Amino acid sequence: DGVFAYAEKLTKDIPGAFYTSQFTNKANPATHYKRTSEEIYDQCGGQIDYFFMAAGTGGTISGTGKKLKEKKPTIKIIGCDPVGSVIGSKGEIYIPFKVEGVGQDFIPTNCDMTIIDDWVKFPDKAAFDTARRVTCLEGIMCGGSAGGVIWSALDYAKKNKLGKDKTIVAFLPDTSRNYLTRYVNNEWYFEAGFLTEAEYRAITMEKSYFPEKRYGDEIQIKELNAKILNTVRLDSTIGEIWKKVKEEGYLAVNVTGNPTDEDYKGIITCKDT
C-alpha cells in the first residue's frame, strides 16, 4: 500500500503526471482483450483447449481469457499462482515467496475471477527449476514466473490425464534478463536453498546439471562454420597471435617450438588473448 499511495501522491504533486495504476486501470485488461487474445487465437488457428497464465495485476489473464472464451466457449482458462499468494488461494493467508512479478497479498481489481476456471499453485523451486531447465534445453531465456506457468501446465496435464488431442497454450510473461543475479546465478540459487551442495558442486565443476542430451550434441565439427586451427611458434609476437585469433577468425591456435623445435607446446584461445 505504501508504494501505491506514494505513486498517487506523486501524481497529485507533479503537474501533468499520470498514474497508470495497472491494478485498477481498465485499459490493462482491455488491451489484452483487444490484441493479445486475437494474436494467440489466430496463431493457433482457434485450436486451443487450455490456456495457462499467471496473474500479477490480473489484466492479461482476464482480458485474454474473456475474449478467448467468447471465441470458443469450451476453452478452459487456468490461472497459475505462486504458493503463498492469495490470488489463486481459497482463504489461505499470504506467505512471502521468491518468484517475482506474479502473485499478490491481495486480489487485484483487474483480476476477473469469473473468467478463470481453475487454479494451479506452483512452489518457488518448481518455477525456478523449470525456468532454468527450459533455458538449457530449449534456449528460451524465460523468467521465474514463466517457469511457474510451464510447470503448472505440465502438472495439470499430468494430473488430469490430458491427451495428445488437447492443445495447451502456456503464456510466458517474462524474461530472465532481470534476474541474472538471482535464480539464474548459481551462487544465489544455492544460498537460497534451491540447490543441494552436491548439485552446486556439480555445476561449479562444469558437470552437466541436466543429464538430457543437449541440442547439437550430434553435430560434427566439419559441419561448423569455423576455421581449422592455425599454428604459431614460441617466438611469435602477441600482435601476430592477435591477428590470427581476432582478425582472421580462428577460435584458437596451436603453439609449437622455435624453428629448430617443432614439438607441440600448447594452445592459445580467444580467452587468452
Side-chain angles (χ1 to χ4, degrees):
D1 289 340
V3 175
F4 301 144
Y6 187 63
E8 292 178 351
K9 179 181 182 301
L10 289 177
T11 304
K12 296 177 181 179
D13 294 344
I14 301 175
F18 174 72
Y19 178 36
T20 57
S21 186
Q22 59 181 338
F23 289 94
T24 59
N25 191 335
K26 294 305 177 184
N28 179 355
T31 298
H32 297 292
Y33 175 85
K34 183 178 180 180
R35 299 187 181 280
T36 308
S37 57
E38 295 287 357
E39 180 180 350
I40 292 173
Y41 191 84
D42 290 345
Q43 289 191 5
C44 293
Q47 301 303 309
I48 307 174
D49 296 297
Y50 292 85
F51 177 71
F52 287 79
M53 173 72 207
T57 66
T60 306
I61 190 171
S62 298
T64 304
K66 182 178 180 180
K67 175 59 75 68
L68 290 178
K69 279 181 170 290
E70 290 178 359
K71 285 181 167 292
K72 186 178 179 182
T74 58
I75 290 179
K76 298 297 183 182
I77 308 299
I78 311 298
C80 310
D81 198 41
V83 171
S85 167
V86 304
I87 299 180
S89 301
K90 298 179 180 179
E92 291 92 341
I93 62 172
Y94 171 78
I95 301 175
F97 47 87
K98 293 186 179 297
V99 176
E100 299 178 59
V102 292
Q104 300 294 341
D105 57 356
F106 64 96
I107 306 296
T109 303
N110 274 334
C111 191
D112 186 351
M113 293 297 186
T114 65
I115 299 296
I116 304 169
D117 296 291
D118 202 356
W119 288 91
V120 178
K121 303 290 287 186
F122 59 83
D124 281 330
K125 179 172 173 54
F128 291 141
D129 278 353
T130 302
R132 288 164 64 98
R133 187 182 183 88
V134 169
T135 298
C136 287
L137 301 183
E138 302 294 340
I140 300 175
M141 299 290 288
C142 64
S145 60
V149 172
I150 297 174
W151 182 88
S152 297
L154 293 172
D155 184 67
Y156 187 93
K158 181 178 180 180
K159 289 181 178 179
N160 291 276
K161 299 180 180 179
L162 302 185
K164 295 182 179 180
D165 59 320
K166 301 299 182 183
T167 299
I168 296 175
V169 174
F171 190 100
L172 310 187
D174 63 351
T175 171
S176 60
R177 180 190 62 187
N178 298 330
Y179 311 112
L180 297 181
T181 59
R182 292 178 65 77
Y183 83 89
V184 177
N185 182 279
N186 292 326
E187 185 174 351
W188 181 93
Y189 208 54
F190 172 64
E191 292 177 351
F194 296 126
L195 285 177
T196 64
E197 185 172 349
E199 289 171 335
Y200 180 66
R201 286 181 178 178
I203 294 175
T204 54
M205 292 175 65
E206 298 183 350
K207 295 179 180 179
S208 177
Y209 181 49
F210 301 103
E212 291 84 357
K213 184 172 65 175
R214 298 163 297 181
Y215 173 76
D217 280 353
E218 298 178 354
I219 296 178
Q220 297 181 357
I221 296 298
K222 64 182 181 181
E223 298 178 48
L224 299 176
N225 184 26
K227 292 187 177 182
I228 304 297
L229 284 175
N230 204 332
T231 301
V232 296
R233 301 179 188 278
L234 284 174
D235 57 358
S236 298
T237 66
I238 295 298
E240 292 172 336
I241 297 173
W242 178 272
K243 182 176 178 59
K244 290 182 181 295
V245 174
K246 299 293 185 179
E247 298 181 13
E248 298 181 15
Y250 290 94
L251 298 179
V253 292
N254 282 320
V255 180
T256 61
N258 292 315
T260 58
D261 178 13
E262 297 294 334
D263 291 340
Y264 176 74
K265 299 297 183 182
I267 188 171
I268 293 179
T269 68
C270 293
K271 182 178 180 181
D272 297 318
T273 59

